[in-house]
């Protein structure tokens, strides 16, 4: 059932908490939160290593959990908050889920597909495009990612 946690008023903070959880588990620190009508319905973090599943990105896991919580394959009227610009796979899932708004922190020039790379939502074959707001707490997200990868290079 949806989580009526008061921190729903700051879903990006929930996404960052999930990203830090991912880092603690040795996963790339990305977190995602789905919100509908001001209520958090799903929170997830990257888990491809733990689940041995290359599709277990935070966005995909959050979308799956939200669909289960809302008992619907469409997330119309839902907003997605994520700490990193989504890749092409996640952008496609966002479009198929009919996410209303996408908020993300750091851009991903190498793997992103929203404002970087293929700009998925601008393609004529994309059947649904959410409103997109990028750069929210970008420095915080970039610092988290940099620290995670710097630690991996040292050890």
């Amino acid at each position: 059932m949806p989580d009526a946690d008061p921190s729903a008023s700051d879903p990006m903070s929930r996404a960052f908490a999930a990203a830090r959880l991912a880092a603690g588990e040795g996963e790339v620190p990305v977190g995602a939160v789905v919100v509908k009508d001001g209520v958090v319905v799903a929170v997830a973090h990257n888990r491809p290593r733990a689940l041995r599943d290359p599709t277990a990105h935070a966005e995909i896991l959050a979308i799956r959990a939200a669909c289960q919580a809302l008992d619907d394959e469409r997330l119309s009227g839902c907003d997605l908050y994520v700490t990193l610009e989504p890749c092409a796979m996640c952008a496609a899932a966002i479009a198929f889920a009919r996410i209303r708004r996408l908020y993300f922190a750091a851009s991903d020039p190498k793997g992103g597909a929203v404002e970087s790379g293929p700009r998925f939502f601008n393609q004529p074959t994309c059947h649904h495009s959410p409103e997109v707001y990028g750069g929210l707490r970008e420095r915080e997200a970039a610092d988290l990612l940099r620290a995670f990868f710097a630690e991996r290079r040292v050890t």
Side-chain angles (χ1 to χ4, degrees), residues 1 32-34 41-48 51-75 78 80 89-90 93-94 96-99:
M1 197 62 201
V33 173
V34 177
V41 294
V43 179
H45 62 281
N46 268 3
R47 300 198 62 219
L51 298 178
R52 303 216 176 357
D53 177 357
T55 70
H57 289 195
E59 301 95 320
I60 300 290
L61 297 176
I63 287 169
R64 287 177 183 162
C67 287
Q68 288 296 311
L70 298 173
D71 195 28
D72 198 342
E73 79 277 10
R74 300 268 169 88
L75 298 176
C78 291
L80 176 66
M89 174 183 70
C90 293
I94 290 164
F96 283 116
R98 304 292 199 278
I99 295 287

